Amino acid sequence: MPTTPRVTHSPTPSPGNSRTRKARWAVPLSAGASLALVGGVLLWSPAGEADAAPSGRDTRAAFTAVAAGDIAEQCTSDDSGCAHPKTAALVEKLNPSFVLTMGDNQYDDARLQDFEDYYETSWGAFKDKTRPVPGNHETYDPDGALEGYKSYFGDIAYPKGESYYSYDQDNWHFIALDSNSFDDRAQIDWLKADLAANSKKCVAAYWHHPLFSSGEHGNDPVSRPVWKLLYANKAELVMNGHDHHYERFAPQNPDGKADANGIVELLGGMGGANPYKIEEVQPNSQKRITKTFGVVKLNFTDTGFSWNLVDTNGATKDSSPSYKCR
């Protein structure tokens, strides 16, 4: 049975994180790479680099999660062109431990009735194991910003009474943030305290608006202060939506400079909304895919992570390098 991640209670600040900064190990998937199925997870070993792969439990997923943003257009499975029922069917097939949604869960104004009429008919099947964050469309609700979102998800999205929260799973600490209110000092202060209290080796954070994107919305500097906090606290992974395409970046610092000790950004806005074009390729962008609906299957170990982009036909469209936590 999939495990349910434990929601972290309000953190008590503690002396900083004691982890030392080390360059992470990463191996890209390239031509000539060998593949193997270990513990139900597809692994790879680049040609001529077989000895570089870690051994033992480092190569087995301790747990898996599925991530996507920009999901439920106002359509249902009765419409053959409706994508979110197809991505939901993919989630069901992958059967992850839990589901991360990265905002714009429901279009266009994210009213409660819209959530019930559309999102609920597809991704609602995983509501109990979904860990959502809101996007800009959740702020458009005529009844008030995030009202429909809050009414639909309830304590799942507001476990501590706020639209941001954190939780632990095995050796990982996950931080779910509301990028609509990054100018809210209370959220930033909470994040500082949460990071200071964290005792897990590996840290991932996710929210809607990406700091770096090659898509139509482009780079959004609203999250640079958050990136700086995460970078200073040796976080490994940031996941976003907003632009309706898939993109992965090499490790970089908050200023967009390549950095072997930097944060890996994953952009996964292909959960069901109409795809966007790639406009201006950003530095450190390693892979970009648009006009594809699907989800990201994340493989987490006690010491690292990797992922696969899987489309609605079940095909793997991209595989990330394998990264070690710092």
Side-chain angles (χ1 to χ4, degrees):
M1 292 290 291
T3 58
T4 300
R6 176 175 63 82
V7 175
T8 304
H9 296 292
S10 298
T12 301
S14 63
N17 195 313
S18 61
R19 290 185 289 149
T20 57
R21 184 178 291 274
K22 296 179 181 178
R24 68 188 65 189
W25 176 90
V27 175
L29 181 63
S30 59
S34 62
L35 299 174
L37 192 65
V38 178
V41 179
L42 191 64
L43 306 175
W44 55 89
S45 176
E49 297 186 22
D51 292 340
S55 60
R57 68 180 181 176
D58 283 351
T59 63
R60 293 192 295 271
F63 63 95
T64 62
V66 158
D70 308 273
I71 297 169
E73 294 276 14
Q74 293 188 14
C75 59
T76 66
S77 58
D78 293 336
D79 179 355
S80 62
C82 190
H84 64 90
K86 299 174 183 177
T87 56
L90 181 58
V91 177
E92 182 177 13
K93 182 177 180 181
L94 293 172
N95 190 27
S97 295
F98 54 98
V99 175
L100 312 176
T101 66
M102 299 177 294
D104 284 3
N105 305 278
Q106 177 60 59
Y107 288 88
D108 282 327
D109 297 335
R111 298 175 174 90
L112 175 59
Q113 191 63 55
D114 294 334
F115 270 104
E116 293 173 343
D117 289 346
Y118 306 109
Y119 186 97
E120 175 65 20
T121 66
S122 58
W123 284 63
F126 326 111
K127 184 177 178 180
D128 288 346
K129 64 177 181 180
T130 295
R131 302 293 176 262
V133 295
N136 53 293
H137 277 268
E138 278 85 0
T139 70
Y140 302 158
D141 187 343
D143 291 332
L146 308 188
E147 283 301 315
Y149 170 81
K150 184 176 183 179
S151 296
Y152 178 74
F153 284 112
D155 289 344
I156 293 171
Y158 285 74
K160 292 180 291 214
E162 301 290 348
S163 56
Y164 45 88
Y165 55 97
S166 64
Y167 53 95
D168 295 332
Q169 177 75 19
D170 294 354
N171 208 26
W172 279 83
H173 184 62
F174 292 90
I175 305 172
L177 297 172
D178 180 1
S179 56
N180 298 298
S181 56
F182 275 166
D183 58 351
D184 177 2
R185 191 68 207 177
Q187 181 172 193
I188 300 302
D189 288 345
W190 173 88
L191 176 60
K192 289 178 180 178
D194 182 83
L195 288 166
N198 172 51
S199 61
K200 299 296 183 179
K201 178 179 178 63
C202 307
V203 177
Y206 58 105
W207 61 85
H208 188 58
H209 302 83
L211 178 57
F212 305 107
S213 172
S214 300
E216 293 184 25
H217 286 304
N219 296 351
D220 193 329
V222 68
S223 61
R224 182 166 282 112
V226 173
W227 259 72
K228 288 181 177 180
L229 283 172
L230 293 168
Y231 180 79
N233 284 272
K234 305 174 181 65
E236 277 71 39
L237 174 64
V238 161
M239 296 171 279
N240 306 117
H242 198 42
D243 263 330
H244 301 179
H245 71 279
Y246 165 85
E247 188 166 11
R248 61 175 166 87
F249 288 83
Q252 56 189 327
N253 67 25
D255 296 320
K257 303 297 184 183
D259 183 347
N261 294 308
I263 298 173
V264 175
E265 184 193 298
L266 162 62
L267 199 163
M270 63 292 151
N274 289 332
Y276 287 173
K277 295 182 294 183
I278 301 300
E279 293 281 1
E280 183 177 352
V281 176
Q282 296 301 304
N284 307 310
S285 175
Q286 292 185 316
K287 185 76 173 184
R288 299 157 302 282
I289 299 176
T290 190
K291 298 182 180 178
T292 292
F293 296 110
V295 300
V296 176
K297 177 178 176 286
L298 296 143
N299 307 307
F300 295 103
T301 74
D302 283 344
T303 57
F305 65 100
S306 63
W307 71 79
N308 307 101
L309 170 63
V310 186
D311 72 9
T312 52
N313 294 319
T316 298
K317 305 293 286 187
D318 184 46
S319 294
S320 76
S322 290
Y323 295 102
K324 277 215 171 210
C325 298
R326 292 180 285 144

